[in-house]
Amino acid sequence: TRHALSQHKSSIMANKTYQKLVEHIQKIADLQHATAVLHWDKEVNLPTKSAEGRSRQIATLDGMAHQLFVSSKTKELLEELEVHYTQLEETEKRNVALLHRDFERANKLDEAFVMRRSRLVSQGYHAWLKARQENDFNQFAPALAALIELKKEEAERMGYTEHPYDALMDEFEPGYRSSKLDILFTEVRRQLVDFAASIREKEQVDDQFLHQHYPDQRQWDFGLELLR
C-alpha cells in the first residue's frame, strides 16, 4: 500500500511538473512564432529601407527566447522531471529527452552570440535579394563570408570530435557525421553528373506558359475553385 501511494504521489508530481514545463516552453514558442511572423512580413511586405530595423527586432526576440530557454527555470523543471521520469507517458518522456538535449546545446551559446547570428542572417538575406536582383554575386559575398565565419565559431562553441560540420549537423541529424555524408554524396555525384548531362542533350520541353502574365483575379478565382 505504501508503495502504491508513493507511486501515485510521484505520478501526480510528474504530471504537475510536466504541465509547468509545457506552459514555460509555450511562452518560448510564442516568441518564436512572433519572430516567424516578422520573418514572413520581411520577405513579403517589408520596404527595403526598413531592413535594418526589422533585423534588430528579430534579433531582440531571438535573444529573449534564448534567455528564457536557458534560464534556471528550464533547468529546474527538467531536473525535477528526471526524478519522476518513470511516471511520464512515452510521448512525454520523448519530449523531455529532446528538450534536455536542446537545453544542453543552447547553453553553449550566449545571448549576445544568438542576437549577432540573428542579425547576420537577416542582413545576409537582404544582401542576397539585392545580389539576385542585380545578378551580382559580389553584393552577397561579404555577408556570406561573415555567415561562414560565424558558423565556424558556432561549431567551436558546440564542440566536435571529427569535423566542425558535425557540430552543426547534429542539430538536424543527431549522431550523423561528415565522414558518412562524404560517402553518400560521392555516390550521388557519380550517378547525377552523367544523368544531368544526358538530360541537357535532350530536346527541352516548352515551358513558355510559366513565363506568361496571368491576371491576379483569375488566379485567385482559380485557386478558390480548386479549394472547393
Side-chain angles (χ1 to χ4, degrees):
T1 304
R2 287 181 179 178
H3 178 71
L5 287 173
S6 176
Q7 289 291 94
H8 180 64
K9 183 178 180 181
S10 179
S11 178
I12 292 175
M13 288 295 295
N15 184 60
K16 287 184 177 180
T17 304
Y18 185 79
Q19 290 305 314
K20 288 180 181 179
L21 179 65
V22 169
E23 292 171 4
H24 178 60
I25 296 301
Q26 186 60 60
K27 292 178 181 178
I28 299 169
D30 288 341
L31 286 172
Q32 293 171 335
H33 293 159
T35 302
V37 173
L38 291 180
H39 272 293
W40 173 85
D41 182 65
K42 176 183 70 176
E43 297 179 13
V44 178
N45 300 312
L46 193 71
T48 304
K49 293 182 179 180
S50 301
E52 181 59 31
R54 178 53 51 84
S55 298
R56 185 181 64 252
Q57 294 160 5
I58 291 174
T60 298
L61 288 177
D62 282 339
M64 291 171 63
H66 176 78
Q67 283 302 95
L68 195 56
F69 186 49
V70 299
S71 66
S72 58
K73 183 174 183 178
T74 306
K75 181 180 179 181
E76 291 167 1
L77 288 170
L78 288 173
E79 288 178 345
E80 189 172 341
L81 283 170
E82 286 181 5
V83 176
H84 305 288
Y85 192 73
T86 57
Q87 301 300 318
L88 296 172
E89 300 290 338
E90 288 304 313
T91 301
E92 295 171 343
K93 288 179 180 179
R94 184 58 178 160
N95 285 337
V96 170
L98 290 174
L99 281 172
H100 189 273
R101 176 181 174 276
D102 290 344
F103 181 76
E104 292 290 319
R105 286 181 60 86
N107 266 282
K108 295 178 181 180
L109 307 175
D110 54 39
E111 183 182 12
F113 178 87
V114 171
M115 293 182 68
R116 179 159 56 93
R117 180 180 62 185
S118 178
R119 294 192 72 167
L120 280 176
V121 169
S122 292
Q123 291 166 2
Y125 170 75
H126 290 290
W128 171 78
L129 282 181
K130 185 176 182 181
R132 185 182 65 172
Q133 183 178 13
E134 299 180 10
N135 194 28
D136 180 13
F137 176 74
N138 290 326
Q139 297 279 354
F140 179 55
L144 178 61
L147 284 171
I148 290 174
E149 289 304 312
L150 179 128
K151 297 307 286 187
K152 288 181 179 178
E153 180 183 345
E154 184 174 340
E156 293 299 325
R157 287 170 177 256
M158 288 297 174
Y160 55 89
T161 54
E162 296 179 18
H163 192 282
Y165 190 61
D166 294 344
L168 305 176
M169 185 164 54
D170 201 52
E171 180 180 356
F172 303 100
E173 295 289 345
Y176 213 74
R177 294 294 176 261
S178 299
S179 54
K180 294 182 179 180
L181 205 61
D182 289 341
I183 296 173
L184 171 65
F185 279 114
T186 297
E187 179 61 21
V188 169
R189 184 181 188 280
R190 185 187 66 78
Q191 298 179 39
L192 284 185
V193 170
D194 292 341
F195 180 59
S198 67
I199 291 176
R200 284 196 299 270
E201 293 171 359
K202 300 293 183 179
E203 182 180 353
Q204 299 301 299
V205 298
D206 182 4
D207 64 350
Q208 286 302 310
F209 73 96
L210 294 175
H211 306 283
Q212 296 180 28
H213 174 76
Y214 297 95
D216 291 348
Q217 189 59 48
R218 291 189 64 186
Q219 292 185 61
W220 179 265
D221 293 341
F222 180 63
L224 291 179
E225 181 181 340
L226 289 176
L227 289 173
R228 285 193 291 268

